[in-house]
Amino acid sequence: MVITNSVRCLPSPGISLQRNDSSVQLVLQPSEASPPIGDYILKSLNGNPCIKATMGAEYIITEQKKTWYFNLDPSRVRISGYCDKEAAVLSLTLPDDAAGLQFTFKKEKSLFYVSNLTAHVSPVPVYKTYSGLVDHDKLFMVQVGQSFSCKSESLLSTSSELKIKLVPLQIQAFTQPSDHYGQAVECWADFNKRIIPIILEATVVGLILITVLTFLFIKDRRRQGYDRI
């Protein structure tokens, strides 16, 4: 719950922020809830969008064999970063740096991807900062001018104690026409969800067709045998 100037705002499930006179305190939740979806746009010095991300972000903390959750509230996020020709950074932080999520983009020839993802969260009553990073993969790689899209969850392990779940996710960097995304390239998880039912349906139809043809073939052979007799 956010309390500011005696005005109370109820955030989405899974979000709990408490404000006192000196700081914003982040409270973890014992159960998981779908994170609210936010649009995050970073513009270059000339005012053109250079990074855009649409996503819900959930922090998953494991401490002493217990799992806790926190959803990033888009209405509380401060956006910062920079854009260069071959590198760009999108940083999302909550007030008092209670939680943060940073994407580092890299461009190689005609491709771009996230080369580094860092995250941290400082909840109460633990009074401990959980942090981690992913820097060994080329995440969300697509052609420059296109956007990476994934309706399925993207679960990233930044450390043994902290995981980040992004769901859904659409992201684009460097080249972007106005405020709209370029052509969306779907992730493998979405592709599999879409194509596997089609393959299964085709397999079932094929098996039925084989069964029918086999039955007709056997029936025809028997009829030919009767004709000879």
Side-chain angles (χ1 to χ4, degrees):
M1 179 177 294
V2 182
I3 304 176
T4 306
N5 296 330
S6 300
V7 178
R8 297 190 177 188
C9 303
L10 295 178
S12 301
I15 297 175
S16 183
L17 294 173
Q18 296 179 347
R19 184 180 182 91
N20 56 30
D21 293 337
S22 59
S23 64
V24 173
Q25 296 179 333
L26 182 155
V27 181
L28 300 179
Q29 302 298 308
S31 58
E32 191 172 14
S34 298
I37 301 172
D39 286 316
Y40 307 102
I41 300 175
L42 183 68
K43 296 184 178 181
S44 59
L45 294 177
N46 58 16
N48 295 325
C50 64
I51 301 176
K52 183 177 181 180
T54 300
M55 62 184 177
E58 179 183 49
Y59 294 73
I60 304 174
I61 296 95
T62 303
E63 178 75 24
Q64 297 179 352
K65 298 183 179 180
K66 292 184 179 180
T67 303
W68 302 87
Y69 306 91
F70 174 75
N71 289 339
L72 194 66
D73 183 358
S75 67
R76 304 284 296 176
V77 168
R78 176 180 176 270
I79 302 173
S80 61
Y82 71 87
C83 298
D84 205 345
K85 290 183 178 180
E86 296 183 352
V89 170
L90 174 66
S91 183
L92 310 176
T93 55
L94 289 179
D96 301 320
D97 204 28
L101 193 60
Q102 181 171 289
F103 300 82
T104 300
F105 296 85
K106 187 174 181 180
K107 182 166 67 172
E108 289 185 359
K109 297 181 180 179
S110 62
L111 300 173
F112 84 85
Y113 55 89
V114 173
S115 61
N116 186 297
L117 182 144
T118 61
H120 72 271
V121 59
S122 302
V124 294
V126 182
Y127 298 105
K128 173 182 177 180
T129 296
Y130 299 90
S131 61
L133 77 158
V134 178
D135 62 354
H136 57 277
D137 292 322
K138 295 181 178 181
L139 302 172
F140 319 135
M141 178 184 290
V142 292
Q143 294 279 339
V144 174
Q146 296 179 332
S147 64
F148 177 89
S149 176
C150 197
K151 297 178 182 178
S152 305
E153 65 180 46
S154 301
L155 186 62
L156 305 170
S157 180
T158 66
S159 71
S160 60
E161 297 177 322
L162 177 62
K163 293 182 176 66
I164 300 296
K165 181 189 291 186
L166 304 175
V167 58
L169 171 66
Q170 188 167 8
I171 199 164
Q172 184 173 352
F174 298 108
T175 302
Q176 188 173 326
S178 65
D179 289 336
H180 302 288
Y181 285 109
Q183 179 184 1
V185 177
E186 66 179 349
C187 60
W188 275 109
D190 286 358
F191 175 80
N192 289 334
K193 285 183 179 180
R194 180 172 56 83
I195 202 68
I196 287 177
I198 297 175
I199 294 175
L200 291 176
E201 183 178 349
T203 301
V204 171
V205 172
L207 290 174
I208 294 174
L209 182 60
I210 291 172
T211 302
V212 171
L213 292 175
T214 302
F215 172 77
L216 293 176
F217 176 76
I218 294 174
K219 184 178 180 181
D220 184 65
R221 290 293 298 271
R222 287 179 177 176
R223 180 179 299 172
Q224 291 178 4
Y226 293 147
D227 291 342
R228 292 193 188 97
I229 295 174

